Amino acid sequence: MFYRTEEVNSLISPNSDNATVTWASGLNFCDKPEFWVYIKSLKNTDADHFLLTHEINIRQKLEIEKHGIFVIEVDRNQLKDNFFLDRNFVFARFMLQLMKYGYEHVTITDSKDVIFQKNIFEVNNKLTLVSEGFKHRDSSWNLADQFTFHSGVRSDKKELVGPPIDLSDKFVINGGVIIGNPLVLFELTEEIAETGRCSSGKFTDQAVLNHLIYTEQIENFYITNPEENICLMGEAIKEGFVTDYKFKDGKFFNSKDEEFYIVHQWDRTKYREEVLKNL
């Protein structure tokens, strides 16, 4: 097993119907000031907080736990060649644990470049995915990620995965912020892991997610747009695709002066140092 179930059972003592889930590993990673922006922003949510990790020292663990976060250590020897797929496989099993304990609303996010500005659990419980704010044709990185995924699909798995389709005119869906209930998140992360493992390439879970969405293998979801205040994407700001936003008093707002619930990739914006200064 990736983590000791009995240890998780002893940790979980629900204080809320809501949960945030992330993964953070690396002795340097967990000391980065950007990571601590994420940790300290969790206070802006009404939720229990869970951090999965396969590399952390006792000092870092104790410091994180001081912020009311449950740290769950994963057996790194169980991780295989593609961390992104392994992460989703573990997330899927962890969603089953959260279901067992009665959690109803969950966000799975990256950590180091994510800020919770408001309580995201005010948003509906439908499977919610975040648009990057630009199309695949505008991102050579995402196109290459797709190509690597599909070119590595083993011959005996091609029918299962399905043929690649032209995504150049499709908006990139970000893999670093996913919102829903534990059941739909179990189904999604399980599908990402299982489909991704049909390929031997070095790609990310974002490539698999976009393939599954645009080949209609995932149903009943909502994709945000940059005009909403659910999640602002820093890469889109950096590349000039999103310009209609505001930054004031250390926070990001949309054009309607609505504060964003989540800001992802904030460290790619020109306000990086100002955000860190307010840490």
Side-chain angles (χ1 to χ4, degrees), residues 17-20 47 102-107 121 123-125 180-182 185:
D17 293 334
N18 311 320
T20 67
Y103 288 96
E104 297 180 4
H105 315 284
V106 180
T107 64
F121 299 101
V123 177
N124 70 67
N125 201 33
N181 65 61
L185 294 183

Side-chain angles (χ1 to χ4, degrees), residues 135-199:
K135 296 183 177 181
H136 277 79
R137 67 179 179 225
D138 301 315
S139 172
S140 58
W141 183 90
N142 278 282
L143 288 174
D145 203 30
Q146 281 291 323
F147 176 81
T148 303
F149 164 56
H150 284 289
S151 62
V153 174
R154 297 188 297 277
S155 57
D156 61 327
K157 298 294 184 181
K158 288 186 181 296
E159 185 175 350
L160 177 64
V161 173
I165 63 172
D166 182 9
L167 297 185
S168 58
D169 200 41
K170 303 292 187 182
F171 279 97
V172 175
I173 300 170
N174 181 260
V177 175
I178 302 174
I179 305 164
N181 65 61
L183 176 58
V184 299
L185 294 183
F186 162 75
E187 294 171 343
L188 178 62
T189 51
E190 177 83 349
E191 188 69 24
I192 290 172
E194 292 305 310
T195 301
R197 286 176 171 176
C198 294
S199 175

